[in-house]
Structures are given as C-alpha cells and as structure tokens.
C-alpha cells in the first residue's frame, strides 16, 4: 500500500479536517467531524442531505454548498454512517420547510436513513427520501428497485438543489429529485482494484490486461470480465445497454456525466466522451449539459462510468442553475 496517510485509523477524520480547513463554506454538527453541513443555511429553504461511506470523493461530502446539498453524513471508507449521525445532520439543516434525504441504494444506508427519519419525525421535522438506483448493470429491467446508486446520483443532487434554491416545497423538491432519478442511467467499467487504508491490500484482483464491465464502486461484481478493448469499443458496449433502456427521440436533449473512479487520467475521460457524443449525434440527440471529471470515485480505482440524464424542460432548467460547492461549481451567464 502506497498512500499519503498517517495512521490508517485516522484516515477519514484527517481527510475531513483538511476539508474544513480548506473550505470555510462548510462546517460540522454536534461536534462530530463526520456530520458535515453548510456554514450558511438559508432560512425557509428545504434542507437536502445525503450520506454514505467515505472513499468516494467528491460524493458525498463535496457537493454541500449553494445550489446543491445542505449536509452529508459519512462513515468509514465504504462504511455507512450511523443513524445518529444522519439525524444530527438532519437537525442542523432543517430550516422549517422539511428535509429531503438523497442517497444510494445500499442496505446499510437505507436502514440508517430510515431510522434517522423516524428520529426526525419525533422532533416534528418532515422528511422525504429519494434513493438513487441508476446502475443498469446491477439488476434487470423490471427490478430497478434492486439497482445500486452510483455516479448518476450527481444529477439528483443537482436537480434537487436547484429546486430547493427556487423555493419549491418539500413535496415538489422530492418530485423533481425523483424525476431526475427515474430518468438517469449509468454504466461503469473498472480496470483495477483499490486499497482501503485500514485493510492495506487490494479489495479484489483483476488482470493487467482485463476490464470488468458493470463493476460497482465498492468492487461489487459486474456483468462481464474480458480483455481490455479499445476505448470506442468499451463505450459502445456500455452505451448499448443504456440505449436499450431509454428511447431518445431525434431532437431530444440529455445531460452527460463522464466520471472517473479515482485513478483514470482526465485525458482518457475525454476520449470516452468523444465516443459518447458520436453515438448521441448518430441518433440526433443533443448532449446539452456535459460534465467530465471525478464525481463519485472508489479510492484509486482505475475506471470510469457514463451517466445519461434524459432531460425535459424542468430538468434542463435545474441542470442549468448555478451551484457553488467545494468540489463543484457551475456558473451561468
């Protein structure tokens, strides 16, 4: 294991100390570093919170700020935060208009967010939940409720954040977030494993000349392992599965997210986008909003994912809205 760290036990908390030192727009609640919240809550606005394991920056912590989330609870690397931590974040971000939970479809997170919502209810805080499940490789059509939430959750954050900034009600913010969820599809590919600091060795093995299509962000099995192919062929295989699930009519528009998993050079991500745009152009579908970079990583895993959000007029407006967070800034005009 080659990493810049001190004691592996302190990895998450020292990372958080660095974030707070670098970004005064965020702070923490209940004297707990792992309960990150905005330093400038806006009165009367619906609160937006997320959470999950560390090891995925910018998800979850990096999207707390203006025009996006208001709080995030995190656990150890690839470990869910506790219900109490989620509850403390909920209390800190509630401004009287209720709180929306947005998180990935993982059993530990579901259990703990449900418990946090029950605690919030006892305090009279209205809570709604939207669970990201964009990973098409993790379950078949008709059983989308079993799918994992991966990088496409960014689109839910962006849509919900813009809706809340517009002053919409909790019901309407949840509706917009759920629409973004239902219209997002993601496919990923992994080229290497990663190392959890407290474990000290790779979490799985993959050959130097192999790739795994559909692997999850914690190393969950994908749908096929094969020899590494040329970039265009890899994108073609990934996009084929996305196209099978969503009918894009000529003239329609999408948002595209090309996400690096932590160990992939930006240059390679742009090569992937080049092919994605060629495939969209061939169907006369416009890539109106495009983001390329690291949005949901898996430590130093080499690999990437492609997320496509099928836009309508409302979601187009939400994607275009300004945002300012430690790890994501979107300027309009």
């Amino acid at each position: 294991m080659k990493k810049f760290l001190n004691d592996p036990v302190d990895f998450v908390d020292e990372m958080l100390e660095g974030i707070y030192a670098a970004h005064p727009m965020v702070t923490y609640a209940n004297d707990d570093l792992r309960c990150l919240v905005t330093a400038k809550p806006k009165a009367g606005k619906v609160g937006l919170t997320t959470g999950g394991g560390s090891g995925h920056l910018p998800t979850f912590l990096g999207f707390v700020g203006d025009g996006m989330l208001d709080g995030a609870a995190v656990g150890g690397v690839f470990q869910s935060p506790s219900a109490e931590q989620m509850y403390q974040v909920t209390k800190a971000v509630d401004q009287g208009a209720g709180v929306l939970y947005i998180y990935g479809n993982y059993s530990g997170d579901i259990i703990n967010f449900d418990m946090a919502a029950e605690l919030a209810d006892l305090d009279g805080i209205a809570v709604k939940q939207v669970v990201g499940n964009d990973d098409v490789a993790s379950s078949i059509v008709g059983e989308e409720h079993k799918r994992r939430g991966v990088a496409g959750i960014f689109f839910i954050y962006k849509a919900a954040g813009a809706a809340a900034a517009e002053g919409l009600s909790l019901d309407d913010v949840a509706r917009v977030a759920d629409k973004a969820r239902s219209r997002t599809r993601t496919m990923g590919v992994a080229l290497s494993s990663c190392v959890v600091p407290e474990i000290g060795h790779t979490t799985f093995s993959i050959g130097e000349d192999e790739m795994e299509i559909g692997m999850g962000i914690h190393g969950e099995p994908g749908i096929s392992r094969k020899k590494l192919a040329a970039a265009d062929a890899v994108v073609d295989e990934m996009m084929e599965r996305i196209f099978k699930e969503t009918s894009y009519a000529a003239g329609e528009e999408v948002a595209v997210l090309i996400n690096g998993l932590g160990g992939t050079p930006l240059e390679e991500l742009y090569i992937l986008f080049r092919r994605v745009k060629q495939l969209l152009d061939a169907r006369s579908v416009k890539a109106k909003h495009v983001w390329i970079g690291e949005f949901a990583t898996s430590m130093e895993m080499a690999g990437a994912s492609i997320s496509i959000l099928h836009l309508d007029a409302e979601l187009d407006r939400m994607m275009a809205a300004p945002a300012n967070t430690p790890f994501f800034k979107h300027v309009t005009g």
Side-chain angles (χ1 to χ4, degrees):
M1 178 173 67
K2 284 186 175 180
K3 291 184 180 293
F4 293 108
L5 50 73
N6 297 304
D7 188 328
V9 173
D10 298 324
F11 178 79
V12 172
D13 291 333
E14 290 185 348
M15 172 269 295
L16 286 163
E17 288 173 356
I19 287 178
Y20 294 125
H23 304 290
M25 66 192 306
V26 293
T27 184
Y28 51 96
N30 198 43
D31 201 32
D32 186 340
L33 291 171
R34 301 189 182 195
C35 296
L36 184 145
V37 296
T38 178
K40 296 181 179 180
K42 293 179 173 59
K45 188 185 79 69
V46 170
L48 304 176
T49 71
T50 189
S54 299
H56 301 301
L57 276 175
T59 296
F60 303 86
L61 303 165
F63 299 128
V64 173
D66 296 337
M68 291 192 77
L69 303 171
D70 300 290
V74 294
V77 176
F78 300 170
Q79 299 172 21
S80 176
S82 70
E84 177 65 21
Q85 288 168 322
M86 296 173 183
Y87 168 59
Q88 293 298 333
V89 170
T90 304
K91 290 199 301 179
V93 306
D94 176 50
Q95 296 296 309
V99 176
L100 177 65
Y101 292 167
I102 305 169
Y103 56 95
N105 191 21
Y106 300 95
S107 57
D109 293 337
I110 292 170
I111 291 169
N112 288 336
F113 267 106
D114 283 346
M115 291 176 62
E118 292 175 2
L119 293 171
D121 182 63
L122 294 175
D123 284 341
I125 301 173
V127 171
K128 287 187 173 292
Q129 305 187 46
V130 172
V131 180
N133 61 337
D134 51 304
D135 184 2
V136 301
S138 53
S139 189
I140 61 174
V141 173
E143 295 187 355
E144 288 88 351
H145 64 284
K146 296 181 180 179
R147 290 180 171 177
R148 301 180 292 245
V150 286
I153 199 171
F154 165 81
F155 289 138
I156 310 178
Y157 295 160
K158 184 72 180 66
E166 286 185 359
L168 299 187
S169 68
L170 177 60
D171 285 344
D172 277 336
V173 173
R175 174 189 59 78
V176 171
D178 193 59
K179 178 163 63 171
R181 176 204 61 78
S182 70
R183 296 168 72 97
T184 297
R185 298 291 185 274
T186 298
M187 274 292 296
V189 58
L191 306 183
S192 75
S193 185
C194 62
V195 177
V196 175
E198 288 192 65
I199 296 176
H201 58 77
T202 54
T203 56
F204 62 90
S205 297
I206 186 169
E208 287 293 322
D209 60 346
E210 291 182 322
M211 63 179 182
E212 184 150 351
I213 301 289
M215 178 173 285
I217 57 174
H218 307 101
E220 299 96 333
I223 54 176
S224 64
R225 181 174 291 196
K226 58 185 67 176
K227 296 296 183 181
L228 180 62
D232 284 0
V234 175
V235 172
D236 289 352
E237 181 171 353
M238 295 165 71
M239 288 296 293
E240 180 182 5
R241 293 183 66 90
I242 292 175
F243 284 137
K244 281 182 178 179
E245 296 210 2
T246 305
S247 297
Y248 302 108
E252 289 191 314
E253 298 173 329
V254 298
V256 179
L257 179 73
I258 308 296
N259 173 64
L261 292 176
T264 302
L266 194 58
E267 289 88 345
E268 294 177 24
L269 299 182
Y270 274 92
I271 290 173
L272 299 180
F273 173 70
R274 163 191 165 277
R275 184 57 175 172
V276 169
K277 187 173 186 305
Q278 288 174 350
L279 296 176
L280 292 171
D281 287 347
R283 291 163 172 77
S284 297
V285 175
K286 180 180 179 181
K288 186 169 185 181
H289 304 282
V290 177
W291 289 289
I292 301 170
E294 292 183 344
F295 291 80
T297 62
S298 183
M299 297 300 292
E300 72 273 39
M301 184 184 289
S305 62
I306 302 167
S307 298
I308 307 291
L309 168 64
H310 193 178
L311 296 170
D312 64 5
E314 184 176 47
L315 290 175
D316 178 29
R317 185 174 83 250
M318 301 306 172
M319 293 302 110
N324 181 25
T325 78
F327 288 77
F328 176 76
K329 302 182 189 301
H330 184 59
V331 179
T332 60

